[in-house]
Amino acid sequence: MILIKENVNSIEEFNYLYDAVGWESYDEKVSEKALANTMYSVSVYDDDKIIGYGRIIGDGICFLYIHDVMVIPKYQNKKIGSQIMNKLLEKVNQIKIENPYVRVYLGASKGKEKFYERFGFIKREDANLGSGMILDGFDD
Ligand SMILES: CC(C)(COP(=O)(O)OP(=O)(O)OC[C@H]1O[C@@H](n2cnc3c(N)ncnc32)[C@H](O)[C@@H]1OP(=O)(O)O)[C@@H](O)C(=O)NCCC(=O)NCCS
């Protein structure tokens, strides 16, 4: 049975998903800190097997950043990514009650823009804003 729940059970599961979608997982200590500093996250399980995840980082009221939305390949295109996004956006809507001006960002991987457009995300240039930028020197 597919079940979506808040948080993730373990660092191992988080790293497993990273590897499964082809991103190289972080050192466990790095993942541990990343998860500890995460504002809100959801995980999807097929019975007790982790199959998807997404999280929000940020200050919890003015600036939020959606990150690490991932579904293992075997389960992709079954609306699981959509369930993850809807749950993260429910959280955003709760925060909007307190601050309607909250800004929600994400950095889409190449080719994933269309997936996020379904949930109302637009390119910054289309909102007449400057580019999103990233400090140079990161490894893709
Ligand atoms: C991107 C990702 C999370 C989507 O999850 P998913 O469970 O496969 O997506 P869904 O089944 O909910 O897709 C919903 C719709 O978006 C579409 N869609 C999904 N990925 C898409 C893409 N890259 N480009 C265009 N449309 C896409 C689906 O075809 C589907 O369309 P439909 O409603 O007409 O059937 C998943 O492919 C994934 O984990 N990829 C690897 C990790 C990654 O790159 N994550 C994004 C980081 S920015």
Side-chain angles (χ1 to χ4, degrees), residues 1-138:
M1 195 181 64
I2 305 288
L3 185 77
I4 187 158
K5 60 165 229 152
E6 293 183 350
N7 298 319
V8 65
N9 288 337
S10 70
I11 296 155
E12 289 76 21
E13 287 179 341
F14 179 74
N15 279 358
Y16 163 77
L17 289 173
Y18 247 73
D19 288 328
V21 298
W23 302 337
E24 203 179 318
S25 59
Y26 295 104
D27 180 87
E28 284 204 358
K29 286 245 171 297
V30 173
S31 295
E32 184 180 10
K33 199 160 187 179
L35 294 182
N37 289 324
T38 290
M39 198 198 100
Y40 179 76
S41 64
V42 296
S43 306
V44 187
Y45 291 84
D46 184 359
D47 292 329
D48 55 2
K49 180 184 160 59
I50 185 94
I51 58 169
Y53 179 81
R55 65 181 178 134
I56 301 177
I57 54 180
D59 65 11
I61 187 70
C62 295
F63 298 103
L64 309 179
Y65 195 94
I66 291 181
H67 219 290
D68 294 334
V69 178
M70 45 191 174
V71 176
I72 64 172
K74 190 178 152 213
Y75 288 84
Q76 287 175 8
N77 294 310
K78 295 179 193 294
K79 306 281 187 236
I80 289 166
S82 300
Q83 284 185 58
I84 294 168
M85 284 301 295
N86 287 332
K87 195 96 173 117
L88 296 178
L89 291 173
E90 270 175 30
K91 184 68 180 177
V92 168
N93 285 334
Q94 285 168 15
I95 292 169
K96 270 192 176 161
I97 297 169
E98 215 180 332
N99 175 18
Y101 305 107
V102 60
R103 284 195 179 202
V104 187
Y105 294 91
L106 60 78
S109 300
K110 243 192 186 125
K112 298 296 186 290
E113 296 87 346
K114 288 262 176 280
F115 171 73
Y116 291 114
E117 279 172 9
R118 293 166 175 267
F119 303 95
F121 284 85
I122 57 172
K123 297 196 179 99
R124 282 177 57 96
E125 67 200 53
D126 294 336
N128 218 14
L129 296 166
S131 315
M133 297 184 83
I134 188 163
L135 191 62
D136 199 8
F138 81 106

